[in-house]
């Protein structure tokens, strides 16, 4: 009988520990949601980056991407439409993506990924209703980056200019500057005046992802998550 009571006691203790753990996790998530919605964070950009090199997003799964973005609290999508010199979509396709994003209450930027100084801006995509254009060109020489950004400033009038960079001391001044702070040792570069970022691939768990996300949001002017394919794969 004593052994039976001990087993029952251990079982009740296990149930209690499990319940307390679940309650703690729930409180953590509620606290995280509170911080995101706190007055100091209100209005900050919360951006999801779609990297076509990690997983193609096109007309067949664009709606699913938007649904994921909304369910995770993102307000803006940086959608890669130009990669290594190739424009991935027609003007009519891009216009449709813009319409769909706006119908879901999301902003959409066309992200342009450059890998060579010989690649040029695809000016045919200007003015399709997008909220802005972002240049992703960290591997290019400084002079090439300056030239591309100068040409964008000179010719683009229908939206916001943005740059996504790994260079913490970048001299260029777009309206939105996203610093890729997910690399090891890069959190020290998180500051106000830039939008910090989180790499899903550089997180160990959902709790770690939430911690990094919240730190970036609290200590900069917003947060960008790299990237949609990784977020889906992780199951966060």
């Amino acid at each position: 009988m004593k052994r039976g009571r001990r087993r029952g006691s251990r079982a009740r203790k296990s149930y209690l520990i499990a319940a307390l753990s679940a309650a703690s996790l729930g409180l953590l998530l509620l606290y995280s949601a509170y911080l995101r919605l706190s007055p100091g964070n209100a209005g900050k950009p919360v951006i999801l980056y779609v990297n076509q090199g990690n997983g193609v997003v096109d007309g067949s799964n664009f709606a699913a991407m938007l649904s994921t973005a909304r369910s995770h609290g993102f307000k803006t999508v940086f959608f890669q439409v130009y990669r290594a010199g190739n424009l991935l979509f027609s003007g009519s396709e891009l216009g449709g993506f813009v319409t769909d994003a706006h119908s879901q209450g999301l902003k959409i930027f066309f992200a342009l990924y450059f890998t060579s100084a010989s690649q040029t801006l695809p000016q045919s995509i200007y003015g399709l209703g997008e909220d802005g254009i972002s240049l992703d060109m960290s591997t290019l020489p400084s002079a090439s980056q300056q030239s591309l950004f100068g040409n964008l400033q000179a010719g683009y009038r229908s939206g916001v200019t943005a740059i996504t960079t790994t260079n913490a001391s970048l001299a260029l001044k777009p309206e939105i500057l996203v610093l890729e702070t997910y690399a090891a040792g890069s959190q020290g570069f998180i500051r106000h005046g830039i939008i910090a970022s989180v790499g899903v691939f550089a997180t160990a768990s959902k709790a770690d992802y939430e911690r990094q996300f919240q730190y970036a949001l609290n200590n900069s002017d917003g947060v960008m998550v790299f990237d949609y394919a990784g977020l889906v794969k992780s199951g966060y």
Side-chain angles (χ1 to χ4, degrees):
M1 293 294 293
K2 289 182 179 178
R3 284 195 299 273
R5 282 196 294 273
R6 281 198 295 271
R7 285 196 295 271
S9 177
R10 283 196 295 270
R12 285 193 294 274
K13 185 180 290 185
S14 297
Y15 293 144
L16 179 59
I17 291 172
L20 288 172
S21 297
S24 297
L25 178 60
L27 288 172
L28 176 63
L29 293 175
L30 285 172
Y31 182 61
S32 175
Y34 165 75
L35 287 174
R36 292 189 192 190
L37 296 173
S38 66
N41 290 333
K44 289 184 178 181
V46 180
I47 306 166
L48 179 62
Y49 190 94
V50 178
N51 184 343
Q52 300 286 1
N54 291 344
V56 174
V57 176
D58 54 22
S60 67
N61 57 355
F62 190 80
M65 182 275 292
L66 293 180
S67 178
T68 298
R70 290 190 66 208
S71 68
H72 283 71
F74 293 100
K75 303 172 184 177
T76 300
V77 173
F78 274 35
F79 184 59
Q80 199 174 86
V81 303
Y82 177 90
R83 186 175 177 83
N86 297 307
L87 185 59
L88 305 179
F89 305 100
S90 69
S92 60
E93 288 174 312
L94 292 174
F97 292 147
V98 169
T99 298
D100 291 345
H102 288 170
S103 72
Q104 297 297 311
L106 294 168
K107 293 182 179 180
I108 183 169
F109 281 55
F110 293 157
L112 314 181
Y113 174 56
F114 293 88
T115 57
S116 169
S118 65
Q119 294 160 8
T120 58
L121 292 167
Q123 296 186 26
S124 62
I125 69 172
Y126 294 0
L128 295 177
E130 75 284 351
D131 296 281
I133 289 180
S134 175
L135 303 180
D136 189 343
M137 53 184 180
S138 293
T139 61
L140 300 186
S142 296
S144 297
Q145 293 188 43
Q146 177 67 62
S147 177
L148 281 170
F149 181 58
N151 289 339
L152 181 67
Q153 284 185 308
Y156 185 59
R157 294 287 183 269
S158 55
V160 174
T161 60
I163 292 177
T164 299
T165 184
T166 58
N167 183 359
S169 58
L170 187 75
L172 305 179
K173 302 296 182 183
E175 293 166 270
I176 293 177
L177 178 63
V178 180
L179 187 59
E180 297 183 35
T181 55
Y182 49 75
S186 293
Q187 280 204 333
F189 294 114
I190 293 176
R191 65 185 189 277
H192 293 288
I194 57 99
I195 291 176
S197 54
V198 176
V200 177
F201 55 86
T203 62
S205 64
K206 185 174 182 179
D208 183 36
Y209 167 81
E210 288 284 348
R211 180 191 62 77
Q212 291 192 36
F213 184 104
Q214 202 61 63
Y215 183 85
L217 183 61
N218 291 346
N219 294 283
S220 76
D221 292 348
V223 62
M224 174 181 278
V225 171
F226 291 86
D227 73 322
Y228 168 67
L231 189 63
V232 171
K233 184 178 180 180
S234 72
Y236 294 171

